[in-house]
Amino acid sequence: MIERYVWDLRDADETQVAVVGGKGAHLGGLSRIDGVRVPEGFCVTTDAFRQVMAEAPSIDDQLDQLSRLDPDDREAVRRLSAQVRRTIEGIAVPDELAAAITRALGRLGEQAAYAVRSSATAEDLPTASFAGQQDTYLNVMGRTEILRHVSRCWASLFTERAVSYRQRNGIDHRTVRMAVVVQRMAFPQASGVLFTADPVSGNRKVATVDAGFGLGEALVSGLVNPDVFTVRDGEVVAKTIAAKQRAVQALPAGGTQEVAIDAQQQEQPALTDAQVVRLVELGRRIEAHFGRPQDIEWCLVDDGFRIVQSRPITTLFPVPEAGDQENHVYVSVGHQQMMTDAMKPLGLSMWQLTAMVPMHAAGGRLFVDATRRLSSPAGRAALLDVMGKGDPLVRDALETVLDRDDFVPSLPDAVPGRPAAGGAPAPIENDPAVVKELIERSQASVAALERDIRTRTGPELFDFLLEAFDEHKRVLGDPLSVQAIMAGMDATWWLNDKLQEWLGEKNAADTLTLSAPDNITSEMGLALLDVADVIRARPEVVAFLKDVQDEDFLGELAKVAGGVEARDAIEGYLDRYGMRCVGEIDITRPRWSERPTTLVPVLLDNVRNFAPGAAAQRFEEGRRKAQEKEEDVLARLRALPDGDRKADETKRMIDRVRTFIGYREYPKYGIVSRYFVYKQALLAEAERLVAADVLPAKEDVFYLTFQEFHDVVRSHQVDGRLVQQRKDAFRAYQALTPPRVLTSDGEAVTGAYRRDDVPAGALVGLPVSVGTVEGRARVVLDMAEADLEAGDILVTTFTDPSWSPLFVGIAGLVTEVGGLMTHGAVIAREYGLPAVVGVAQATRLIRDGQRIRVHGTDGYVEILP
């Protein structure tokens, strides 16, 4: 019979987290796996916790205060959480509950020793392990002490670290309940942790075992370094045996103590290789049961393993589903698109439907399977060349995988004489009319989309959109457009290679491309300077904007003196660029037109930091520098042997790069323009679903794929549990860092620069825009919170085109993600900003306000004293 307050562990399973908590549910599930031994025990249910909490009305008030605290206010969190714990520990255990616990102890042995362990309902979950957030007490003996430690476990739901963790993960304190697991103590010869996937690389085929003598507390507390065994394919492939001088052991009368290990035993392995392999086999069985890699706590008792805990490893990046058992190598799309944040399901599926190549979703990100390209010599060489020019870290990561001879299959090249698919496009003439024609084509296509979508609703809208996606891809794959893009990029690479060879000058194209025409992204930044000119002349408008918080501020702005002109200028800007936003490849992200307050801090910075007419002045200054650079380069070339030929070739390439390099930014603008039209139509459909009581909120459709959204529109039925699961998963994905390269084994391969030509302590990256600048680092993770002054150096994770308005007011740029031809690099060169991209962990290693020196020519950053 299952009681209300006490359950035998064997009666629980993974579906009963709400009753027995995460740990209890996992232990119950473990006890059902053939061959897995779990110490006997019972669980004090969440009903018991709820009953105890009801005994103290003051708790409600304290939780209200706790929920309002800033998680960074550590002193307030410490003080109030301690108060909550004291309140809970002061509540007497109700008689009915105490009797139920006593009966359970009688069945297991009242005089035995027990482990009393917290088991919260938000613990050991697939999306958040909460490891170490609540408490465990070992070797507890006697009914009175067990009841006291059950109360302490309840109170540990409100430790300082647990409270802060929940607040940072957006979990309401009131929604979490605490169960308590009471298990017979295991007195092990050895104990430790088994990871069924490598927790560092993510490789799912590699298991690691940490082992030490005695109880596992010695390892958890850092008292000793463990032995570490690495296992692959049923074999120990590496091991490190540590000197284990101390251990934690149980005391006969209860509690634990540290003891010294006999000198002769200290450097003996805690497990034999055979025992390690047997333990990993158990781990694989447990992993198969739970369906994902596990972090398992184990004990060795009389040559048999006891499993005392198993939780999912939540830090591993998920692997794309391939549908086969072959090896695959995936390259991150986000690192190419300068948007490595997690995307919501609708955003993922829309990008997949409009992309030119198949893309695979994992961890809220998109990846391209590069295995086939890497398997043939010609495809491999071409891919590595393109990746190396864009992001050397991706190339190095791919080469790291290729160095493992057995991972990527080797296939012959295509049949001789047959053109390779996706080969280099034919060259085009240096004719500015080509760019003009391409822009007009794109504008006409967007205008037709806006016209034709207006009358489409319901299932007809989704059918229309599928046709629109074909047009989207046709425009994106227009051969003339591809030719124009490649012409500008090839000319850039030619100039950099040849001028370094002939003149010894690095990255000369950076200056030669300043103020290139037809660059829609750089024009966007300069256009906001023009808006600032309108605002600067109207003090009342400036004062009004400093206090803006509501997104509908433009209507109120018109009531301020000079506000009509300011409103018209801002609305004109939004008409042209309002479809943009940070992370704009995700259709679910709020656009500037939807959230215009995003632009207000940048506008005010422009008002403060620039004089009137700055936009035209900056553009003209860049054009003049480019012209002077051209004259200088050509004059120096003509002085060389065979100089006239070299100068003539260089002149053709300068003309070519200035004709086409600005267009490099336009296709993305066209994509985002179309995305905004799609989004407006889809949100209107979502609003109709809300009005029909099908959805509680229109934004819920962001957690459905395009096809699922289509199905809901047809059926007027939605699975609310699926939407909630997707929300939980998205929150978990946000905490993950996507790898540049990911294998089907789950290994995240980061790549390295492998350079020895930078000063000690410098942060290495990719040089993308020449020059050296020293200034104050401003670490900005949210464009809307930027507070920049002239001379500041922007340090951030990535910059897509929406960041360009910030570029006009900074002196240099450092990003964690980027390549030579990604948007941030192109605009940095356009504005003449020294820039280094691809600097690993730049936003963590550089503190906001530090002085740094950016070496944009040589590709490194120095942190100054």
mmCIF file with all atom_site columns, all heavy atoms in Angstrom, residues 557-575:
data_model
loop_
_atom_site.group_PDB
_atom_site.id
_atom_site.type_symbol
_atom_site.label_atom_id
_atom_site.label_alt_id
_atom_site.label_comp_id
_atom_site.label_asym_id
_atom_site.label_entity_id
_atom_site.label_seq_id
_atom_site.pdbx_PDB_ins_code
_atom_site.Cartn_x
_atom_site.Cartn_y
_atom_site.Cartn_z
_atom_site.occupancy
_atom_site.B_iso_or_equiv
_atom_site.pdbx_formal_charge
_atom_site.auth_seq_id
_atom_site.auth_comp_id
_atom_site.auth_asym_id
_atom_site.auth_atom_id
_atom_site.pdbx_PDB_model_num
ATOM 1   N N   . LEU A 1 557 ? 5.687  61.545 -28.364 1.00 0.00 ? 557 LEU A N   1
ATOM 2   C CA  . LEU A 1 557 ? 6.778  62.431 -28.787 1.00 0.00 ? 557 LEU A CA  1
ATOM 3   C C   . LEU A 1 557 ? 6.242  63.614 -29.600 1.00 0.00 ? 557 LEU A C   1
ATOM 4   O O   . LEU A 1 557 ? 6.734  64.750 -29.478 1.00 0.00 ? 557 LEU A O   1
ATOM 5   C CB  . LEU A 1 557 ? 7.801  61.634 -29.611 1.00 0.00 ? 557 LEU A CB  1
ATOM 6   C CG  . LEU A 1 557 ? 8.967  62.410 -30.218 1.00 0.00 ? 557 LEU A CG  1
ATOM 7   C CD1 . LEU A 1 557 ? 9.789  63.123 -29.138 1.00 0.00 ? 557 LEU A CD1 1
ATOM 8   C CD2 . LEU A 1 557 ? 9.870  61.470 -31.026 1.00 0.00 ? 557 LEU A CD2 1
ATOM 9   N N   . ALA A 1 558 ? 5.219  63.363 -30.415 1.00 0.00 ? 558 ALA A N   1
ATOM 10  C CA  . ALA A 1 558 ? 4.684  64.427 -31.271 1.00 0.00 ? 558 ALA A CA  1
ATOM 11  C C   . ALA A 1 558 ? 4.096  65.588 -30.466 1.00 0.00 ? 558 ALA A C   1
ATOM 12  O O   . ALA A 1 558 ? 3.934  66.696 -30.995 1.00 0.00 ? 558 ALA A O   1
ATOM 13  C CB  . ALA A 1 558 ? 3.610  63.849 -32.198 1.00 0.00 ? 558 ALA A CB  1
ATOM 14  N N   . LYS A 1 559 ? 3.794  65.368 -29.164 1.00 0.00 ? 559 LYS A N   1
ATOM 15  C CA  . LYS A 1 559 ? 3.210  66.426 -28.343 1.00 0.00 ? 559 LYS A CA  1
ATOM 16  C C   . LYS A 1 559 ? 4.265  67.347 -27.732 1.00 0.00 ? 559 LYS A C   1
ATOM 17  O O   . LYS A 1 559 ? 3.940  68.372 -27.145 1.00 0.00 ? 559 LYS A O   1
ATOM 18  C CB  . LYS A 1 559 ? 2.382  65.796 -27.222 1.00 0.00 ? 559 LYS A CB  1
ATOM 19  C CG  . LYS A 1 559 ? 1.247  64.900 -27.726 1.00 0.00 ? 559 LYS A CG  1
ATOM 20  C CD  . LYS A 1 559 ? 0.567  64.170 -26.571 1.00 0.00 ? 559 LYS A CD  1
ATOM 21  C CE  . LYS A 1 559 ? -0.490 63.202 -27.089 1.00 0.00 ? 559 LYS A CE  1
ATOM 22  N NZ  . LYS A 1 559 ? -1.105 62.428 -25.987 1.00 0.00 ? 559 LYS A NZ  1
ATOM 23  N N   . VAL A 1 560 ? 5.544  66.958 -27.864 1.00 0.00 ? 560 VAL A N   1
ATOM 24  C CA  . VAL A 1 560 ? 6.646  67.753 -27.310 1.00 0.00 ? 560 VAL A CA  1
ATOM 25  C C   . VAL A 1 560 ? 7.072  68.792 -28.342 1.00 0.00 ? 560 VAL A C   1
ATOM 26  O O   . VAL A 1 560 ? 6.964  68.572 -29.549 1.00 0.00 ? 560 VAL A O   1
ATOM 27  C CB  . VAL A 1 560 ? 7.834  66.818 -26.956 1.00 0.00 ? 560 VAL A CB  1
ATOM 28  C CG1 . VAL A 1 560 ? 9.029  67.613 -26.463 1.00 0.00 ? 560 VAL A CG1 1
ATOM 29  C CG2 . VAL A 1 560 ? 7.395  65.801 -25.911 1.00 0.00 ? 560 VAL A CG2 1
ATOM 30  N N   . ALA A 1 561 ? 7.581  69.917 -27.884 1.00 0.00 ? 561 ALA A N   1
ATOM 31  C CA  . ALA A 1 561 ? 8.063  70.950 -28.813 1.00 0.00 ? 561 ALA A CA  1
ATOM 32  C C   . ALA A 1 561 ? 9.142  70.367 -29.714 1.00 0.00 ? 561 ALA A C   1
ATOM 33  O O   . ALA A 1 561 ? 10.143 69.824 -29.240 1.00 0.00 ? 561 ALA A O   1
ATOM 34  C CB  . ALA A 1 561 ? 8.626  72.136 -28.023 1.00 0.00 ? 561 ALA A CB  1
ATOM 35  N N   . GLY A 1 562 ? 8.913  70.474 -31.028 1.00 0.00 ? 562 GLY A N   1
ATOM 36  C CA  . GLY A 1 562 ? 9.853  69.910 -31.990 1.00 0.00 ? 562 GLY A CA  1
ATOM 37  C C   . GLY A 1 562 ? 9.687  68.420 -32.181 1.00 0.00 ? 562 GLY A C   1
ATOM 38  O O   . GLY A 1 562 ? 10.429 67.783 -32.948 1.00 0.00 ? 562 GLY A O   1
ATOM 39  N N   . GLY A 1 563 ? 8.704  67.827 -31.503 1.00 0.00 ? 563 GLY A N   1
ATOM 40  C CA  . GLY A 1 563 ? 8.543  66.377 -31.519 1.00 0.00 ? 563 GLY A CA  1
ATOM 41  C C   . GLY A 1 563 ? 8.032  65.822 -32.827 1.00 0.00 ? 563 GLY A C   1
ATOM 42  O O   . GLY A 1 563 ? 8.324  64.675 -33.172 1.00 0.00 ? 563 GLY A O   1
ATOM 43  N N   . VAL A 1 564 ? 7.254  66.621 -33.571 1.00 0.00 ? 564 VAL A N   1
ATOM 44  C CA  . VAL A 1 564 ? 6.716  66.113 -34.840 1.00 0.00 ? 564 VAL A CA  1
ATOM 45  C C   . VAL A 1 564 ? 7.857  65.816 -35.809 1.00 0.00 ? 564 VAL A C   1
ATOM 46  O O   . VAL A 1 564 ? 7.902  64.755 -36.448 1.00 0.00 ? 564 VAL A O   1
ATOM 47  C CB  . VAL A 1 564 ? 5.723  67.123 -35.447 1.00 0.00 ? 564 VAL A CB  1
ATOM 48  C CG1 . VAL A 1 564 ? 5.331  66.692 -36.857 1.00 0.00 ? 564 VAL A CG1 1
ATOM 49  C CG2 . VAL A 1 564 ? 4.486  67.263 -34.561 1.00 0.00 ? 564 VAL A CG2 1
ATOM 50  N N   . GLU A 1 565 ? 8.801  66.767 -35.902 1.00 0.00 ? 565 GLU A N   1
ATOM 51  C CA  . GLU A 1 565 ? 9.941  66.560 -36.812 1.00 0.00 ? 565 GLU A CA  1
ATOM 52  C C   . GLU A 1 565 ? 10.786 65.362 -36.355 1.00 0.00 ? 565 GLU A C   1
ATOM 53  O O   . GLU A 1 565 ? 11.242 64.559 -37.178 1.00 0.00 ? 565 GLU A O   1
ATOM 54  C CB  . GLU A 1 565 ? 10.808 67.810 -36.868 1.00 0.00 ? 565 GLU A CB  1
ATOM 55  C CG  . GLU A 1 565 ? 10.123 69.032 -37.458 1.00 0.00 ? 565 GLU A CG  1
ATOM 56  C CD  . GLU A 1 565 ? 9.270  69.813 -36.456 1.00 0.00 ? 565 GLU A CD  1
ATOM 57  O OE1 . GLU A 1 565 ? 9.138  69.334 -35.284 1.00 0.00 ? 565 GLU A OE1 1
ATOM 58  O OE2 . GLU A 1 565 ? 8.736  70.871 -36.816 1.00 0.00 ? 565 GLU A OE2 1
ATOM 59  N N   . ALA A 1 566 ? 10.996 65.241 -35.042 1.00 0.00 ? 566 ALA A N   1
ATOM 60  C CA  . ALA A 1 566 ? 11.780 64.119 -34.515 1.00 0.00 ? 566 ALA A CA  1
ATOM 61  C C   . ALA A 1 566 ? 11.059 62.799 -34.780 1.00 0.00 ? 566 ALA A C   1
ATOM 62  O O   . ALA A 1 566 ? 11.679 61.810 -35.188 1.00 0.00 ? 566 ALA A O   1
ATOM 63  C CB  . ALA A 1 566 ? 12.023 64.308 -33.021 1.00 0.00 ? 566 ALA A CB  1
ATOM 64  N N   . ARG A 1 567 ? 9.739  62.804 -34.538 1.00 0.00 ? 567 ARG A N   1
ATOM 65  C CA  . ARG A 1 567 ? 8.971  61.582 -34.797 1.00 0.00 ? 567 ARG A CA  1
ATOM 66  C C   . ARG A 1 567 ? 9.057  61.189 -36.265 1.00 0.00 ? 567 ARG A C   1
ATOM 67  O O   . ARG A 1 567 ? 9.278  60.016 -36.604 1.00 0.00 ? 567 ARG A O   1
ATOM 68  C CB  . ARG A 1 567 ? 7.518  61.789 -34.414 1.00 0.00 ? 567 ARG A CB  1
ATOM 69  C CG  . ARG A 1 567 ? 6.626  60.566 -34.646 1.00 0.00 ? 567 ARG A CG  1
ATOM 70  C CD  . ARG A 1 567 ? 5.172  60.964 -34.776 1.00 0.00 ? 567 ARG A CD  1
ATOM 71  N NE  . ARG A 1 567 ? 4.956  61.852 -35.917 1.00 0.00 ? 567 ARG A NE  1
ATOM 72  C CZ  . ARG A 1 567 ? 3.834  62.537 -36.136 1.00 0.00 ? 567 ARG A CZ  1
ATOM 73  N NH1 . ARG A 1 567 ? 2.838  62.455 -35.271 1.00 0.00 ? 567 ARG A NH1 1
ATOM 74  N NH2 . ARG A 1 567 ? 3.714  63.317 -37.196 1.00 0.00 ? 567 ARG A NH2 1
ATOM 75  N N   . ASP A 1 568 ? 8.912  62.148 -37.156 1.00 0.00 ? 568 ASP A N   1
ATOM 76  C CA  . ASP A 1 568 ? 8.964  61.855 -38.587 1.00 0.00 ? 568 ASP A CA  1
ATOM 77  C C   . ASP A 1 568 ? 10.325 61.297 -38.984 1.00 0.00 ? 568 ASP A C   1
ATOM 78  O O   . ASP A 1 568 ? 10.421 60.376 -39.817 1.00 0.00 ? 568 ASP A O   1
ATOM 79  C CB  . ASP A 1 568 ? 8.661  63.111 -39.410 1.00 0.00 ? 568 ASP A CB  1
ATOM 80  C CG  . ASP A 1 568 ? 7.208  63.557 -39.272 1.00 0.00 ? 568 ASP A CG  1
ATOM 81  O OD1 . ASP A 1 568 ? 6.406  62.767 -38.731 1.00 0.00 ? 568 ASP A OD1 1
ATOM 82  O OD2 . ASP A 1 568 ? 6.896  64.690 -39.686 1.00 0.00 ? 568 ASP A OD2 1
ATOM 83  N N   . ALA A 1 569 ? 11.384 61.842 -38.387 1.00 0.00 ? 569 ALA A N   1
ATOM 84  C CA  . ALA A 1 569 ? 12.736 61.353 -38.704 1.00 0.00 ? 569 ALA A CA  1
ATOM 85  C C   . ALA A 1 569 ? 12.911 59.912 -38.231 1.00 0.00 ? 569 ALA A C   1
ATOM 86  O O   . ALA A 1 569 ? 13.465 59.064 -38.951 1.00 0.00 ? 569 ALA A O   1
ATOM 87  C CB  . ALA A 1 569 ? 13.784 62.261 -38.063 1.00 0.00 ? 569 ALA A CB  1
ATOM 88  N N   . ILE A 1 570 ? 12.435 59.596 -37.005 1.00 0.00 ? 570 ILE A N   1
ATOM 89  C CA  . ILE A 1 570 ? 12.569 58.235 -36.476 1.00 0.00 ? 570 ILE A CA  1
ATOM 90  C C   . ILE A 1 570 ? 11.709 57.270 -37.279 1.00 0.00 ? 570 ILE A C   1
ATOM 91  O O   . ILE A 1 570 ? 12.142 56.160 -37.635 1.00 0.00 ? 570 ILE A O   1
ATOM 92  C CB  . ILE A 1 570 ? 12.183 58.200 -34.985 1.00 0.00 ? 570 ILE A CB  1
ATOM 93  C CG1 . ILE A 1 570 ? 13.177 59.026 -34.166 1.00 0.00 ? 570 ILE A CG1 1
ATOM 94  C CG2 . ILE A 1 570 ? 12.136 56.765 -34.477 1.00 0.00 ? 570 ILE A CG2 1
ATOM 95  C CD1 . ILE A 1 570 ? 12.774 59.213 -32.709 1.00 0.00 ? 570 ILE A CD1 1
ATOM 96  N N   . GLU A 1 571 ? 10.481 57.684 -37.592 1.00 0.00 ? 571 GLU A N   1
ATOM 97  C CA  . GLU A 1 571 ? 9.602  56.802 -38.369 1.00 0.00 ? 571 GLU A CA  1
ATOM 98  C C   . GLU A 1 571 ? 10.150 56.576 -39.770 1.00 0.00 ? 571 GLU A C   1
ATOM 99  O O   . GLU A 1 571 ? 10.054 55.468 -40.326 1.00 0.00 ? 571 GLU A O   1
ATOM 100 C CB  . GLU A 1 571 ? 8.185  57.375 -38.432 1.00 0.00 ? 571 GLU A CB  1
ATOM 101 C CG  . GLU A 1 571 ? 7.447  57.252 -37.100 1.00 0.00 ? 571 GLU A CG  1
ATOM 102 C CD  . GLU A 1 571 ? 6.024  57.774 -37.162 1.00 0.00 ? 571 GLU A CD  1
ATOM 103 O OE1 . GLU A 1 571 ? 5.722  58.551 -38.113 1.00 0.00 ? 571 GLU A OE1 1
ATOM 104 O OE2 . GLU A 1 571 ? 5.219  57.428 -36.273 1.00 0.00 ? 571 GLU A OE2 1
ATOM 105 N N   . GLY A 1 572 ? 10.757 57.591 -40.356 1.00 0.00 ? 572 GLY A N   1
ATOM 106 C CA  . GLY A 1 572 ? 11.383 57.419 -41.669 1.00 0.00 ? 572 GLY A CA  1
ATOM 107 C C   . GLY A 1 572 ? 12.514 56.399 -41.608 1.00 0.00 ? 572 GLY A C   1
ATOM 108 O O   . GLY A 1 572 ? 12.685 55.568 -42.509 1.00 0.00 ? 572 GLY A O   1
ATOM 109 N N   . TYR A 1 573 ? 13.271 56.451 -40.511 1.00 0.00 ? 573 TYR A N   1
ATOM 110 C CA  . TYR A 1 573 ? 14.358 55.487 -40.323 1.00 0.00 ? 573 TYR A CA  1
ATOM 111 C C   . TYR A 1 573 ? 13.787 54.068 -40.171 1.00 0.00 ? 573 TYR A C   1
ATOM 112 O O   . TYR A 1 573 ? 14.292 53.110 -40.768 1.00 0.00 ? 573 TYR A O   1
ATOM 113 C CB  . TYR A 1 573 ? 15.167 55.863 -39.083 1.00 0.00 ? 573 TYR A CB  1
ATOM 114 C CG  . TYR A 1 573 ? 16.390 55.004 -38.867 1.00 0.00 ? 573 TYR A CG  1
ATOM 115 C CD1 . TYR A 1 573 ? 17.598 55.299 -39.483 1.00 0.00 ? 573 TYR A CD1 1
ATOM 116 C CD2 . TYR A 1 573 ? 16.333 53.887 -38.034 1.00 0.00 ? 573 TYR A CD2 1
ATOM 117 C CE1 . TYR A 1 573 ? 18.717 54.508 -39.285 1.00 0.00 ? 573 TYR A CE1 1
ATOM 118 C CE2 . TYR A 1 573 ? 17.450 53.089 -37.834 1.00 0.00 ? 573 TYR A CE2 1
ATOM 119 C CZ  . TYR A 1 573 ? 18.638 53.408 -38.469 1.00 0.00 ? 573 TYR A CZ  1
ATOM 120 O OH  . TYR A 1 573 ? 19.744 52.612 -38.276 1.00 0.00 ? 573 TYR A OH  1
ATOM 121 N N   . LEU A 1 574 ? 12.709 53.954 -39.381 1.00 0.00 ? 574 LEU A N   1
ATOM 122 C CA  . LEU A 1 574 ? 12.101 52.642 -39.172 1.00 0.00 ? 574 LEU A CA  1
ATOM 123 C C   . LEU A 1 574 ? 11.464 52.104 -40.449 1.00 0.00 ? 574 LEU A C   1
ATOM 124 O O   . LEU A 1 574 ? 11.445 50.886 -40.677 1.00 0.00 ? 574 LEU A O   1
ATOM 125 C CB  . LEU A 1 574 ? 11.064 52.714 -38.057 1.00 0.00 ? 574 LEU A CB  1
ATOM 126 C CG  . LEU A 1 574 ? 11.625 52.970 -36.646 1.00 0.00 ? 574 LEU A CG  1
ATOM 127 C CD1 . LEU A 1 574 ? 10.490 53.183 -35.655 1.00 0.00 ? 574 LEU A CD1 1
ATOM 128 C CD2 . LEU A 1 574 ? 12.515 51.814 -36.197 1.00 0.00 ? 574 LEU A CD2 1
ATOM 129 N N   . ASP A 1 575 ? 10.930 52.979 -41.286 1.00 0.00 ? 575 ASP A N   1
ATOM 130 C CA  . ASP A 1 575 ? 10.382 52.526 -42.568 1.00 0.00 ? 575 ASP A CA  1
ATOM 131 C C   . ASP A 1 575 ? 11.454 51.839 -43.410 1.00 0.00 ? 575 ASP A C   1
ATOM 132 O O   . ASP A 1 575 ? 11.186 50.881 -44.134 1.00 0.00 ? 575 ASP A O   1
ATOM 133 C CB  . ASP A 1 575 ? 9.799  53.706 -43.356 1.00 0.00 ? 575 ASP A CB  1
ATOM 134 C CG  . ASP A 1 575 ? 8.481  54.200 -42.774 1.00 0.00 ? 575 ASP A CG  1
ATOM 135 O OD1 . ASP A 1 575 ? 7.881  53.451 -41.961 1.00 0.00 ? 575 ASP A OD1 1
ATOM 136 O OD2 . ASP A 1 575 ? 8.075  55.328 -43.099 1.00 0.00 ? 575 ASP A OD2 1
#
